[in-house]
Amino acid sequence: MDNLLLNIDFNKGGNNKEPAGAKTNNKNKDKYKKNKQKIINKKIERHNKTSDGQPRTFNNQTQGDRFNKNKPFQQRPQHQSLLVAEKQPELVSEAIVEEQQQQEPVQINQIKRHLGISDKSKQIKKEYKEALADKTVKFDGDDDYDIELNPILPNEKKVKYQNRDKKQDQEIKEEEKTEQQAAKVPFVEEVLVREEAEVFTGDKFSDLPLNDKLKQVLQENNFEKLTNIQKSAIPVILKHQNVVLKSETGSGKTLAYLVPLLEYLSYISLNKEKITRENGTYCVIFSPTRELCLQIEIEMKKLLKLFYYVVCGTITGGENPKKEKSRIRKGLTVIICTPGRFLYHLENSSCLNFSRLCYYIFDEADRILDQGFEREMNKCLSMIKKKVPEKFKTKGDDCFWSDSMRINFVSATINSKVEALGSKLMENYEKVGFDLSVSSEMEVVAQIPKQIQQFFVEIPTQYRLLYLLAFLYTHQQEKVLVFVSNCEHVNFLYHLINNLNWNKFGKREDDQNKNENEEQKVDTLCGGHIYKLHGDMDHNERKKNYFGFDKADSAILISTDVASRGLDFKHVEWILQYDLSSQIKEYVNRVGRTARIATTGQSLCFMMPQEKGYIKHLKTKYGFEIHQRDRFNLIKLFQKKVQELKPEAKLIFKSLKNIEDEDEQQEAIHRLRYLVRSTMEQDGLNLISMAQIAKNSSTRAYAGHSHEMRHVFEINNLNLTEFARSFALYKNLMSVGLPQYGKKEEKKRTHSKRDDKNNQSEKTVNMDDEKMFSKRLKKSQQKGLEKKLNVLTDVNQKERVMGMISDLKRAVYVNEDKVALRKKNFEKARHSVGKKVLSEFI
Ligand SMILES: Nc1ncnc2c1ncn2[C@@H]1O[C@H](COP(=O)(O)OP(=O)(O)OP(=O)(O)O)[C@@H](O)[C@H]1O
């Protein structure tokens, strides 16, 4: 304390500055002290005299006032700092402190802190004043004074006020705690106690009544212990039962139906007839995606090593149909297919042989129906029925009951719709893995493995992209699967992330020119292991990306829901739901891509502020355990990661003195934005138009959220400008590549009032977008109604729907479009009819 006061007096402050060399020269020091004392004495003298040089008279009755200029210096009570610094009473005087107060507020604060007088004293001071005004507290002239010349209260009064202060403090603290409790938990630190995975049972495959070859092959593939679902499902399926099978994601359902299938085929081969390729197909496995077909084929081929007579093959979209045809002609014992392509072959290939068909398996059965496969599925089944009518019990088209068929329905999220299809196929069936003690809604939660930690983070719409990049940078040594709502968004994110050069991160334009060599080095996330997956991709690229992500140790996969079902990527640590899905089933299946078969994993939902209801819905309706994470913690982690991976980046964060400070954290976000913008502007990448297309598709997808969840995903609550920013479409980037501007507007934009014009143009862009969007929305509604019209039989209903369609058509083709359409027709007519006739026509 003494040192502190001495330092303040001697080393700092304008007039109090110690002369050069004083520290080393004691003589000089004494001289300095004497001078100092002289200055103080002079000050006291000046204070005690009026401007005329006459001695000042003091009014003693006002001595309780805060700043008592009417009180002689000597008569003032001793200052607390003087009491503390008793050793140098001549140096640390009130006058010095006063002077310091004017010139060195920082140091006064230091003194305050050391004396334990914080800014809270201001509040106490205020209360003192109030108390004085109320005359509830009286001061006799003997009261002591604190550093700010407040009267120091007798102890009981002080305690009273201190307690009051503490109480208030506590209340405020508690309030803050409850508000921030969830949000301020560290971002990735494991706060939850992970439950022991309870996937495996004590039972083994070797205990099951299977043939020796199958047991051997299972052992060779390290399938030893049975999982819960395998233990309960395999014996039931083996007993020639139709089964609807449901269990949590990643619990080994595939093996649960493949093992009984192989057992059955080997039984036929040993006891009934030799299975050959010429015999045709014995089993058809339906699955919703090509990748899942591929995966089932791989899993099956692992088991086929000792069953050379069983040939399995996939029939999926994207493959060359001719090649598939030749494979079918050679004979496939087990066909693994997507319904669309299978239907194509049923309609176009006569070589399909179903005379021995005895097994149907529907993997991800609920998705097969959801995806609009229902019609295709029904067609497939009825065509098979037409080919081999003797196998089926009933004659009508809608019923596919058969005594000679074994049917398995499999999914983690089976619902009543699936059961309805099930009843068309199976006269009676056994349910395995259903928990009848809980409601079907709550049962959904049970399908998420317990070892998955679920989080959500609320992010302002405009920063979404930047936080995504921060997250990916922070977790680039892990495997992250990012889900978005549409193919265009996947494409945009994929190209953007692939082209970000993190060597440029945080550098300004002038810095960049200095280090051109360094700039040439490209530093991409995960060492460039970035993949994408969606339905519009070329089949071979899809396959390549699927295997690429599966094999990588650390990688990023950006995907639509095409990857949400059944795919078993190895060791995915994080599932990131960047665009939320309004369907609970999709949430469960997306999350289920991590924590497979007794491993652990985390999932994170990126939530826009207006989507708060989503988490509430999941928590209250389904009882999900989702924990909030603070976005600032994410940025903190990001900064730490940057500093860890790029030690030279200290320069980047030179302004970040306090990493806890939210404003300073914002700095990192700005730097990220700069990196994104510079990448967007790069020639030849075409990122801006990709972003615009992605934004439009995402807006449409947002408007297409299920009716049940419209209150959460309400398109009218979506701020389109902020939403555009989440696609890196910032104000001045919006104008690039947009064809909407006329020549006049283009000229105007280069004028001096550029900013105003930019604002205007941004508005026009948004208006155009909105117009486009509403048009498309109406068109899609129209299409939906047209589909409905095909199915309707009632004449009145038909008429009503037709009326609605024509209303929509009128709304879509606004006047301008009508004119354009007429012009187009006119042009057509001119070509076909000729000018002469046309003039008559006009
Ligand atoms: N008994 C077992 N012992 C060891 N590994 C197993 C066992 N059963 C399955 N697995 C492995 O567990 C992983 C997940 O299995 P699978 O894909 O069948 O899960 P699932 O329940 O079908 O998941 P989803 O619901 O997501 O489709 C696979 O890699 C599979 O090889």
Side-chain angles (χ1 to χ4, degrees):
M1 180 65 62
D2 296 345
N3 285 341
L4 174 81
L5 289 168
L6 278 171
N7 278 342
I8 292 160
D9 286 342
F10 292 125
N11 299 332
K12 303 266 169 89
N15 295 337
N16 300 325
K17 252 183 191 163
E18 193 174 357
K23 275 182 198 167
T24 48
N25 192 336
N26 278 340
K27 276 183 188 174
N28 278 351
K29 210 170 188 174
D30 289 341
K31 219 177 177 181
Y32 173 75
K33 280 180 188 174
K34 275 177 192 171
N35 284 340
K36 199 81 217 173
Q37 190 58 48
K38 269 184 194 172
I39 294 168
I40 295 163
N41 290 340
K42 267 185 188 173
K43 278 194 174 187
I44 292 170
E45 249 178 60
R46 226 184 299 140
H47 184 83
N48 291 343
K49 279 180 186 171
T50 59
S51 51
D52 319 326
Q54 297 301 316
R56 192 185 285 224
T57 51
F58 295 102
N59 175 11
N60 281 336
Q61 280 173 359
T62 53
Q63 63 187 3
D65 287 353
R66 187 185 178 277
F67 196 73
N68 195 349
K69 283 202 170 167
N70 295 327
K71 200 172 169 187
F73 235 100
Q74 289 85 345
Q75 282 180 27
R76 284 193 192 183
Q78 200 181 16
H79 195 281
Q80 197 157 343
S81 61
L82 296 181
L83 292 174
V84 177
E86 274 171 356
K87 285 179 189 170
Q88 283 85 14
E90 79 285 1
L91 294 175
V92 189
S93 70
E94 194 173 47
I96 293 171
V97 175
E98 264 183 8
E99 222 171 79
Q100 289 280 349
Q101 209 162 4
Q102 287 160 12
Q103 291 165 14
E104 295 286 333
V106 178
Q107 288 159 31
I108 287 297
N109 285 339
Q110 276 181 348
I111 299 174
K112 280 191 208 170
R113 238 174 279 139
H114 275 268
L115 293 174
I117 304 164
S118 67
D119 279 342
K120 275 180 203 160
S121 64
K122 279 182 192 167
Q123 197 187 332
I124 298 172
K125 205 162 63 191
K126 206 176 144 197
E127 286 177 11
Y128 287 174
K129 272 187 182 174
E130 284 166 7
L132 277 170
D134 287 347
K135 295 185 180 156
T136 48
V137 183
K138 284 175 189 164
F139 299 100
D140 41 27
D142 298 325
D143 281 337
D144 221 344
Y145 286 77
D146 73 9
I147 195 159
E148 294 199 52
L149 306 179
N150 293 311
I152 290 170
L153 289 176
N155 269 349
E156 336 101 75
K157 290 175 195 169
K158 209 163 148 186
V159 167
K160 186 182 152 198
Y161 279 98
Q162 275 173 356
N163 282 348
R164 204 171 133 187
D165 193 35
K166 270 183 195 170
K167 258 188 188 177
Q168 277 178 349
D169 266 11
Q170 245 178 6
E171 276 170 23
I172 295 166
K173 267 182 195 168
E174 264 169 35
E175 262 175 41
E176 279 175 2
K177 235 184 189 180
T178 44
E179 267 176 29
Q180 296 173 357
Q181 208 173 17
K184 292 286 175 190
V185 186
F187 198 74
V188 280
E189 276 173 35
E190 283 153 30
V191 270
L192 299 176
V193 181
R194 283 177 170 167
E195 289 186 34
E196 261 296 297
E198 291 164 0
V199 177
F200 287 104
T201 61
D203 294 17
K204 291 180 176 176
F205 280 105
S206 53
D207 303 332
L208 291 173
L210 303 171
N211 76 65
D212 291 341
K213 271 187 186 174
L214 193 50
K215 281 182 186 173
Q216 190 189 331
V217 94
L218 283 166
Q219 205 180 6
E220 278 171 16
N221 283 291
N222 294 326
F223 297 131
E224 225 176 281
K225 281 183 180 173
L226 289 162
T227 64
N228 278 314
I229 190 65
Q230 288 161 357
K231 186 187 169 183
S232 39
I234 293 174
V236 180
I237 305 173
L238 284 174
K239 270 193 221 159
H240 190 148
Q241 289 271 8
N242 295 328
V243 176
V244 178
L245 204 151
K246 177 178 185 173
S247 88
E248 63 182 43
T249 53
S251 57
K253 288 187 287 291
T254 317
L255 219 55
Y257 65 73
L258 284 184
V259 168
L261 168 67
L262 274 181
E263 175 63 24
Y264 185 60
L265 292 177
S266 69
Y267 166 80
I268 293 174
S269 161
L270 290 171
N271 301 303
K272 288 189 176 173
E273 61 176 358
K274 209 177 163 192
I275 293 177
T276 59
R277 292 186 84 164
E278 291 75 46
N279 288 357
T281 304
Y282 285 78
C283 172
V284 182
I285 303 177
F286 293 99
S287 129
T289 61
R290 299 171 195 180
E291 287 75 18
L292 187 53
C293 287
L294 211 69
Q295 196 177 287
I296 297 168
E297 190 190 16
I298 293 168
E299 192 90 342
M300 179 127 190
K301 279 185 175 167
K302 280 185 198 168
L303 306 180
L304 288 183
K305 275 180 194 166
L306 300 176
F307 299 89
Y308 61 92
Y309 49 84
V310 177
V311 182
C312 79
T314 55
I315 296 181
T316 60
E319 291 280 3
N320 185 347
K322 278 185 186 169
K323 279 185 188 169
E324 281 180 344
K325 219 174 192 175
S326 70
R327 261 191 289 149
I328 292 169
R329 199 172 292 121
K330 280 181 194 165
L332 288 173
T333 322
V334 178
I335 291 176
I336 306 163
C337 62
T338 50
R341 180 53 69 92
F342 186 57
L343 181 62
Y344 169 85
H345 285 292
L346 277 170
E347 285 169 346
N348 299 297
S349 315
S350 54
C351 50
L352 276 164
N353 177 359
F354 292 127
S355 57
R356 287 174 175 84
L357 187 70
C358 55
Y359 228 117
Y360 279 145
I361 294 168
F362 298 84
D363 200 351
E364 303 295 343
D366 57 328
R367 178 66 175 266
I368 288 178
L369 296 179
D370 269 8
Q371 256 193 354
F373 283 132
E374 192 180 2
R375 255 180 56 211
E376 285 168 351
M377 203 71 241
N378 275 331
K379 267 192 177 178
C380 287
L381 295 173
S382 53
M383 285 200 73
I384 294 173
K385 193 176 168 180
K386 267 182 204 165
K387 286 193 179 224
V388 277
E390 66 279 4
K391 284 192 175 291
F392 296 91
K393 264 175 132 181
T394 51
K395 282 184 180 169
D397 254 4
D398 274 1
C399 192
F400 309 101
W401 289 352
S402 168
D403 283 339
S404 58
M405 297 284 280
R406 291 165 174 245
I407 299 166
N408 296 171
F409 268 53
V410 185
S411 176
T413 45
I414 279 179
N415 53 17
S416 49
K417 230 181 171 184
V418 180
E419 283 193 58
L421 179 79
S423 58
K424 270 188 191 177
L425 279 150
M426 305 177 273
E427 214 169 350
N428 43 47
Y429 56 89
E430 193 101 334
K431 282 181 174 182
V432 181
F434 285 75
D435 187 352
L436 300 174
S437 62
V438 292
S439 68
S440 58
E441 275 167 1
M442 295 308 256
E443 224 189 320
V444 176
V445 188
Q447 307 318 319
I448 298 180
K450 285 178 188 129
Q451 64 274 19
I452 297 182
Q453 290 185 301
Q454 299 167 65
F455 303 113
F456 73 95
V457 59
E458 189 186 319
I459 292 168
T461 312
Q462 55 178 328
Y463 295 136
R464 275 160 56 78
L465 177 65
L466 305 179
Y467 275 89
L468 171 72
L469 295 177
F471 181 92
L472 293 178
Y473 191 87
T474 315
H475 297 90
Q476 60 176 310
Q477 263 105 9
E478 291 163 285
K479 238 164 146 174
V480 184
L481 175 46
V482 185
F483 281 106
V484 294
S485 62
N486 57 83
C487 310
E488 290 79 12
H489 202 176
V490 172
N491 281 338
F492 165 64
L493 285 177
Y494 171 77
H495 284 285
L496 177 71
I497 295 170
N498 241 332
N499 286 299
L500 285 179
N501 183 0
W502 288 86
N503 272 336
K504 286 183 187 176
F505 176 70
K507 287 176 189 164
R508 297 186 190 284
E509 261 172 85
D510 34 344
D511 299 341
Q512 282 178 27
N513 298 334
K514 281 179 204 166
N515 263 329
E516 270 180 9
N517 288 341
E518 205 183 307
E519 291 307 309
Q520 279 163 8
K521 274 191 240 159
V522 179
D523 176 17
T524 335
L525 291 182
C526 296
H529 292 291
I530 303 162
Y531 304 95
K532 62 171 179 171
L533 202 66
H534 61 72
D536 271 359
M537 276 165 64
D538 168 65
H539 182 61
N540 287 333
E541 201 189 349
R542 258 173 90 159
K543 242 179 169 176
K544 209 175 105 192
N545 285 0
Y546 167 77
F547 287 117
F549 182 67
D550 189 34
K551 280 176 190 158
D553 290 329
S554 57
I556 299 165
L557 173 66
I558 303 155
S559 172
T560 56
D561 275 336
V562 79
S564 74
R565 292 289 185 141
L567 298 193
D568 183 46
F569 296 116
K570 268 171 233 114
H571 314 302
V572 177
E573 273 100 352
W574 277 95
I575 302 296
L576 218 142
Q577 302 202 45
Y578 187 62
D579 288 339
L580 298 176
S581 166
S582 51
Q583 294 208 5
I584 185 69
K585 283 186 294 173
E586 287 323 307
Y587 178 92
V588 172
N589 280 299
R590 282 174 172 193
V591 163
R593 294 317 101 208
T594 183
R596 313 279 298 166
I597 204 95
T599 55
T600 54
Q602 286 116 326
S603 89
L604 177 70
C605 287
F606 265 45
M607 208 183 68
M608 287 187 250
Q610 74 270 16
E611 293 171 345
K612 269 179 192 165
Y614 182 68
I615 302 296
K616 208 175 161 192
H617 175 77
L618 293 184
K619 280 184 177 176
T620 51
K621 193 167 177 191
Y622 301 101
F624 276 67
E625 264 190 49
I626 307 183
H627 303 270
Q628 185 168 10
R629 284 293 175 267
D630 185 26
R631 69 187 168 104
F632 288 114
N633 285 344
L634 172 57
I635 286 297
K636 249 188 265 174
L637 273 173
F638 168 64
Q639 287 167 357
K640 275 183 196 160
K641 195 76 185 178
V642 171
Q643 282 165 357
E644 183 190 312
L645 295 183
K646 294 177 179 292
E648 75 282 1
K650 270 176 198 160
L651 272 174
I652 295 168
F653 291 117
K654 59 180 178 255
S655 56
L656 292 178
K657 285 169 195 153
N658 180 10
I659 212 158
E660 301 289 325
D661 187 339
E662 293 187 358
D663 287 337
E664 293 201 3
Q665 286 175 8
Q666 206 67 359
E667 174 73 12
I669 283 292
H670 290 313
R671 306 267 171 162
L672 259 174
R673 183 159 61 191
Y674 182 81
L675 176 69
V676 171
R677 278 177 66 150
S678 59
T679 315
M680 293 283 289
E681 280 165 347
Q682 263 178 51
D683 291 336
L685 288 182
N686 219 7
L687 278 169
I688 295 170
S689 53
M690 276 178 128
Q692 280 165 345
I693 294 167
K695 189 204 77 180
N696 292 343
S697 297
S698 298
T699 321
R700 274 197 299 282
Y702 203 87
H705 272 293
S706 71
H707 195 72
E708 187 202 356
M709 293 299 287
R710 283 275 161 82
H711 62 284
V712 175
F713 303 104
E714 174 53 72
I715 186 76
N716 293 328
N717 293 342
L718 191 67
N719 182 327
L720 288 180
T721 316
E722 284 191 7
F723 196 57
R725 283 187 196 138
S726 74
F727 290 83
L729 292 169
Y730 303 110
K731 205 192 254 179
N732 40 1
L733 283 180
M734 291 286 283
S735 58
V736 187
L738 276 176
Q740 281 95 337
Y741 302 111
K743 276 183 186 171
K744 271 186 188 174
E745 269 169 302
E746 203 59 59
K747 269 186 186 175
K748 274 184 200 169
R749 285 180 65 246
T750 50
H751 256 245
S752 56
K753 290 176 185 174
R754 184 173 282 172
D755 282 351
D756 290 0
K757 297 291 173 278
N758 270 346
N759 283 343
Q760 254 184 12
S761 53
E762 197 179 341
K763 270 181 204 164
T764 30
V765 170
N766 284 334
M767 273 174 60
D768 284 340
D769 279 351
E770 278 169 40
K771 225 165 118 185
M772 278 271 287
F773 166 67
S774 71
K775 236 184 198 181
R776 291 205 175 162
L777 196 68
K778 277 168 193 154
K779 272 192 179 171
S780 72
Q781 281 172 347
Q782 185 191 323
K783 270 186 188 171
L785 287 172
E786 277 166 0
K787 266 186 192 171
K788 207 175 166 185
L789 197 67
N790 290 337
V791 189
L792 284 176
T793 45
D794 186 62
V795 185
N796 290 339
Q797 275 184 347
K798 262 190 172 180
E799 269 180 15
R800 219 181 56 229
V801 173
M802 275 162 77
M804 281 158 75
I805 290 172
S806 62
D807 282 351
L808 280 170
K809 272 184 185 168
R810 236 174 283 141
V812 170
Y813 295 108
V814 285
N815 278 344
E816 288 168 32
D817 292 346
K818 267 187 186 172
V819 173
L821 206 72
R822 268 190 212 147
K823 268 188 187 171
K824 209 173 149 191
N825 290 342
F826 180 84
E827 287 296 319
K828 264 189 192 173
R830 197 165 59 169
H831 279 293
S832 59
V833 186
K835 268 183 189 176
K836 229 180 177 181
V837 190
L838 198 71
S839 58
E840 282 168 23
F841 173 74
I842 292 166

